[in-house]
Amino acid sequence: MLIDFRSDTVTKPSAGMLEAMATAKVGDDVFGEDPTINELEQLVASFFGMEAAIFCPSGTMTNQIAIKCHTQPGDEVICDESSHVYQYEGGGIAFNSSASVKLLKGDRGRITAEQVKSSINRDDNHKARTSLVSLENTSNLGGGSCYNFEEIKKIKTVCLQNNLALHLDGARIWNALVAKNETPKQYGEVFNSISVCLSKGLGCPVGSLLVGEKGFIKKARRIRKVFGGGMRQAGFIAAAGIYAIQNNFQRLKVDHLHATQISEALKSKYFIKEILPAETNIIIFEMNDKMTAADFVSKFKEQDILCFEIAPGKVRLILHLDITKKMVEKTIEIISKL
Ligand SMILES: Cc1ncc(COP(=O)(O)O)c(C=O)c1O
């Protein structure tokens, strides 16, 4: 039994999902003629109470399209220093949008309205024009931490007062919605654009959507084409998305429970220096000098359990729908013997 905690992107489509994919009605989406993609885009837009959505191959593409649409070359984007848009998108903000970045030191990936306010550049020819704030919820490097929605509202107020757009990298917004008992419409009301991934907690093989106002999505469609993301009969993969939203969303609380159980087992171990609170499906912990992260990873590997060192001395485990209760029990048993 291989137990793969490396990412929630390692899931394989279930029989039900494959059936939905195989029977999907499709057409050429570049012509706007794929009925399944149209259905998915409408479904996700109305889920957030927003006007429109666009289906893309990846969360990197939806984030990068959003940043391109919200900025002009030479503008500045405010985000947390651990943000995926900055750390893991290949320098895409500079490459695609010729924009600079103001990095803030948040609390487990979460920045505050006060921090945003004090990092907006004054209107001065020497300074880059601040035009966008990008938040990540849940925060990946923050260990699946969730924003307090009150803080998001305060950030929105600062954005409105300073004419800034507000983007959400909601690759794992599904986990935040379930964990915090929030509604997607709350998010649709405050963000100018939201990127969501189907290929993480929801278990699809591929796919992300960018959601926003009609005019914004029209612009996004043009940028997607320029980025080479125009797809044809991609209704086969959109069908997986519809299936996932209907079947795999509410079950995320099982992943959260499993994360809490494993985190509890790790907490008191002699090799743990610090473990971040397991708020959703991600566990990140730092090793002390009694065991290196590389040793921990290889001890797990000997037992057919996969994970990796996400940063020097830090290990990340991610729960997902292909991790069963039995696998969690086996993992806890192995941890107890370490
Ligand atoms: C927070 C966050 N945003 C965006 C992405 C990018 O998604 P993709 O791998 O589909 O490009 C990821 C991927 O893991 C992520 O964790």
Side-chain angles (χ1 to χ4, degrees):
M1 175 164 75
L2 184 74
I3 308 177
D4 195 344
F5 290 117
R6 288 171 304 160
S7 176
D8 45 8
T9 57
V10 301
T11 55
K12 308 265 170 39
S14 63
M17 184 177 279
L18 286 170
E19 165 77 17
M21 294 169 78
T23 54
K25 292 198 172 66
V26 298
D28 190 328
D29 182 51
V30 172
F31 297 157
E33 288 174 3
D34 189 301
T36 311
I37 292 185
N38 293 341
E39 184 186 336
L40 174 66
E41 289 178 346
Q42 275 159 26
L43 176 73
V44 176
S46 64
F47 183 76
F48 288 98
M50 293 177 98
E51 287 179 355
I54 179 169
F55 186 49
C56 292
S58 72
T60 299
M61 187 179 278
T62 43
N63 278 332
Q64 291 300 319
I65 290 174
I67 293 165
K68 180 83 184 155
C69 288
H70 287 304
T71 60
Q72 293 296 321
D75 281 2
E76 192 156 274
V77 181
I78 295 176
C79 63
D80 180 84
E81 62 182 4
S82 71
S83 303
H84 196 280
V85 292
Y86 176 74
Q87 292 286 353
Y88 296 126
E89 297 187 6
I93 298 178
F95 192 92
N96 299 312
S97 299
S98 306
S100 71
V101 185
K102 177 89 53 93
L103 295 178
L104 304 183
K105 206 177 205 32
D107 167 34
R108 285 189 279 131
R110 299 162 300 188
I111 55 177
T112 66
E114 211 43 58
Q115 283 180 297
V116 170
K117 195 173 167 186
S118 55
S119 9
I120 299 167
N121 290 334
R122 62 178 186 271
D123 185 10
D124 177 332
N125 288 344
H126 296 86
K127 309 292 273 182
R129 189 182 75 101
T130 308
S131 57
L132 174 66
V133 177
S134 179
L135 307 183
E136 185 174 310
N137 200 25
T138 68
S139 160
N140 182 348
L141 283 187
S145 57
C146 303
Y147 266 90
N148 176 336
F149 200 78
E150 288 309 306
E151 197 59 42
I152 293 181
K153 287 206 285 198
K154 286 184 196 159
I155 293 173
K156 177 65 178 179
T157 304
V158 172
C159 289
L160 287 172
Q161 286 165 347
N162 293 278
N163 203 21
L164 311 180
L166 184 58
H167 171 69
L168 176 66
D169 176 355
R172 295 185 182 79
I173 187 63
W174 319 100
N175 297 84
L177 291 171
V178 167
K180 305 280 281 187
N181 228 352
E182 293 165 337
T183 67
K185 301 227 167 27
Q186 280 173 255
Y187 284 84
E189 275 164 21
V190 295
F191 285 94
N192 299 98
S193 55
I194 302 178
S195 157
V196 300
C197 290
L198 303 167
S199 57
K200 309 207 161 56
L202 296 186
C204 291
V206 64
S208 292
L209 290 109
L210 181 64
V211 196
E213 283 178 357
K214 260 191 195 143
F216 174 85
I217 296 300
K218 183 165 187 269
K219 197 168 163 189
R221 229 169 258 289
R222 167 172 278 276
I223 304 295
R224 184 185 69 172
K225 194 80 186 87
V226 177
F227 283 0
M231 297 182 285
R232 304 294 177 176
Q233 288 73 23
F236 291 119
I237 49 175
I242 295 170
Y243 178 90
I245 293 167
Q246 288 165 351
N247 295 278
N248 296 343
F249 173 38
Q250 287 303 332
R251 67 148 302 284
L252 288 171
K253 48 175 131 24
V254 175
D255 297 342
H256 300 174
L257 174 69
H258 287 163
T260 312
Q261 290 167 338
I262 295 173
S263 174
E264 280 301 316
L266 282 164
K267 235 175 210 167
S268 53
K269 295 304 287 188
Y270 68 94
F271 50 78
I272 298 281
K273 182 174 172 195
E274 194 196 353
I275 183 159
L276 298 183
E279 284 188 47
T280 52
N281 66 328
I282 304 180
I283 304 167
I284 294 182
F285 52 94
E286 190 171 358
M287 306 295 288
N288 60 26
D289 54 12
K290 306 252 171 33
M291 195 191 293
T292 65
D295 278 347
F296 180 91
V297 171
S298 79
K299 280 180 201 293
F300 253 29
K301 182 100 190 276
E302 284 163 18
Q303 304 289 338
D304 284 335
I305 305 180
L306 307 181
C307 62
F308 55 73
E309 187 172 358
I310 184 99
K314 290 184 181 172
V315 178
R316 186 186 73 175
L317 307 180
I318 302 200
L319 277 297
H320 51 78
L321 85 172
D322 286 357
I323 301 275
T324 62
K325 185 167 181 268
K326 213 164 160 194
M327 292 176 180
V328 172
E329 284 163 2
K330 183 181 167 197
T331 304
I332 291 173
E333 190 191 321
I334 283 159
I335 292 170
S336 74
K337 292 180 186 152
L338 283 178

